[in-house]
Amino acid sequence: MKPKVLIYKKSFPQEVIDKVLAPHFDVFVLGIGTPEFKEHLKDTVGIIGWGGRIDRQFLEQAPKLKAFSTISVGYDHCDLAAMNELGIRLMHTPDVLTEAVADSALALMLATTRRVVELDRHIRQGQWVKSVSPEWYGQNMYKKTLGIVGMGRIGKAIARRAHFGFDMNILYHSRTAHHDAEQETHAQFIGLDELLQSSDFVCCVLPKTPQTLHYFKQEHFEMMKSTAIFINVGRGQVVKENDLAHALVHKTIYAAGLDVFEVEPLPLDSPLLSLDNVVLFPHASSATVETRFAMDEDAAQNLVNILTKPNTIKNCVNPNLC
């Protein structure tokens, strides 16, 4: 009898189960929180999934659990301290979604600066009855200055697209300097205040940590140019959303393109929903057919690696256990 693995993603591809997991494990695909899932938790050694709250209470229902493989880069839904204490190794998928998220950041930049969604709506509402007048004009993106906050894999991919595709000047703020990005895209490592004051686009790619909670708030939007655009493809909790909405309402900044929010799905009473100068994306920057398949495959392979090769370090969040 093979060790048991649970997957709580109903759309998980069967071919990945057959090719990657089934040779090593008995695999069960079940909805998280269902009676069947809870029953199988008692003797499962590995879990694959995304979302839900993987806290101590959840983990203590799985006394034989050795590894949890999240289908995501972020793992703020997991209680890492509890996992460390209980000896449960946490795996994630940091590499396979880089390019898709970078594409989405550029899409949000173009959509906001050229007012794509707003103008589409005007046409559908029958407002296009004469030549376009200045009140419908957007702004150029070519040769503008892009400030990236968080220069990791995704930040560097965004910088490449902006530099080589749009001849943009790249500024960045990060915990440490990234000389590879500086050499490749001529990016400049500067302080946050200077970045905010100098950038035409400010792109947030920060993860959610205790240090980044409400990293962007009113004082930061007030430092930005009135013509500047704020893009967030990091985490929603990094931004104090009411302060951003206030900045958009009062035209403190020109526009925003957002893939992530403080509360998801975005509540229907959110002030962001009534604003023309914001483009909203449903936490879907990695949502392409190719990328989501690659994430599923990567998560499965991560679990196989960590359970069959105990010294695996790649994609392990708590390497002290790997």
Side-chain angles (χ1 to χ4, degrees):
M1 188 173 180
K2 298 175 186 175
K4 181 184 294 184
V5 162
L6 290 179
I7 300 174
Y8 65 90
K9 180 183 177 183
K10 292 183 179 179
S11 59
F12 199 87
Q14 186 63 44
E15 62 185 287
V16 173
I17 294 174
D18 294 340
K19 182 177 74 171
V20 181
L21 295 169
H24 305 278
F25 310 111
D26 287 331
V27 183
F28 297 84
V29 182
L30 299 165
I32 190 170
T34 62
E36 294 82 4
F37 185 89
K38 292 179 179 179
E39 183 62 30
H40 282 292
L41 268 180
K42 296 175 183 178
D43 57 357
T44 190
V45 298
I47 299 175
I48 299 173
W50 184 85
R53 181 60 190 157
I54 311 304
D55 55 16
R56 180 179 292 275
Q57 182 180 1
F58 176 95
L59 297 169
E60 288 178 345
Q61 296 177 69
K64 296 184 180 180
L65 186 65
K66 296 179 180 179
F68 182 91
S69 185
T70 181
I71 311 171
S72 62
V73 177
Y75 47 86
D76 47 273
H77 58 296
C78 299
D79 187 337
L80 187 57
M83 287 183 166
N84 286 332
E85 184 179 329
L86 296 168
I88 299 167
R89 291 161 288 182
L90 176 61
M91 311 298 287
H92 68 149
T93 61
D95 297 320
V96 294
L97 51 67
T98 297
E99 305 304 332
V101 176
D103 285 350
S104 294
L106 268 291
L108 287 170
M109 289 168 65
L110 281 166
T112 48
T113 195
R114 296 305 305 269
R115 301 170 64 179
V116 172
V117 176
E118 184 184 359
L119 296 182
D120 174 88
R121 185 165 54 247
H122 288 340
I123 294 172
R124 294 174 189 275
Q125 294 172 347
Q127 297 179 38
W128 186 26
V129 294
K130 58 180 180 180
S131 297
V132 174
S133 53
E135 62 265 24
W136 283 17
Y137 290 176
Q139 299 180 161
N140 282 347
M141 189 161 137
Y142 182 65
K143 282 189 176 294
K144 292 293 183 72
T145 295
L146 168 62
I148 299 172
V149 183
M151 188 61 98
R153 286 176 296 270
I154 295 170
K156 292 173 185 176
I158 293 169
R160 285 193 293 271
R161 286 159 171 75
H163 174 71
F164 293 110
F166 294 88
D167 201 15
M168 297 181 80
N169 175 44
I170 310 297
L171 309 176
Y172 77 97
H173 179 74
S174 187
R175 287 180 297 179
T176 57
H178 292 269
H179 300 300
D180 55 340
E182 293 169 12
Q183 185 173 11
E184 183 180 13
T185 64
H186 302 150
Q188 295 176 262
F189 181 36
I190 62 174
L192 180 62
D193 290 1
E194 185 181 355
L195 180 147
L196 295 173
Q197 293 162 5
S198 304
S199 298
D200 299 300
F201 296 83
V202 174
C203 186
C204 171
V205 203
L206 292 173
K208 177 191 172 185
T209 68
Q211 293 72 37
T212 61
L213 179 65
H214 288 169
Y215 190 91
F216 287 99
K217 42 190 176 289
Q218 182 175 340
E219 64 192 77
H220 299 107
F221 299 121
E222 289 177 350
M223 289 184 196
M224 292 168 62
K225 299 177 182 180
S226 61
T227 54
I229 292 171
F230 181 77
I231 304 294
N232 190 7
V233 291
R235 280 291 184 266
Q237 294 83 1
V238 169
V239 178
K240 196 169 184 180
E241 209 162 89
N242 284 337
D243 287 1
L244 174 59
H246 183 274
L248 292 164
V249 168
H250 294 279
K251 305 297 173 67
T252 305
I253 62 175
Y254 181 77
L258 309 173
D259 178 51
V260 288
F261 307 90
E262 282 195 275
V263 177
E264 297 179 357
L266 187 65
L268 294 179
D269 61 353
S270 169
L272 295 172
L273 292 171
S274 63
L275 300 177
D276 286 333
N277 58 340
V278 60
V279 175
L280 308 172
F281 215 43
H283 201 152
S285 282
S286 65
T288 68
V289 172
E290 300 89 344
T291 298
R292 288 296 172 89
F293 181 88
M295 290 171 69
D296 291 337
E297 190 172 40
D298 203 36
Q301 191 61 58
N302 283 341
L303 195 67
V304 170
N305 290 345
I306 201 67
L307 291 177
T308 63
K309 305 170 187 175
N311 293 325
T312 296
I313 295 176
K314 182 184 178 184
N315 295 341
C316 184
V317 174
N318 44 1
N320 56 303
L321 297 178
C322 299

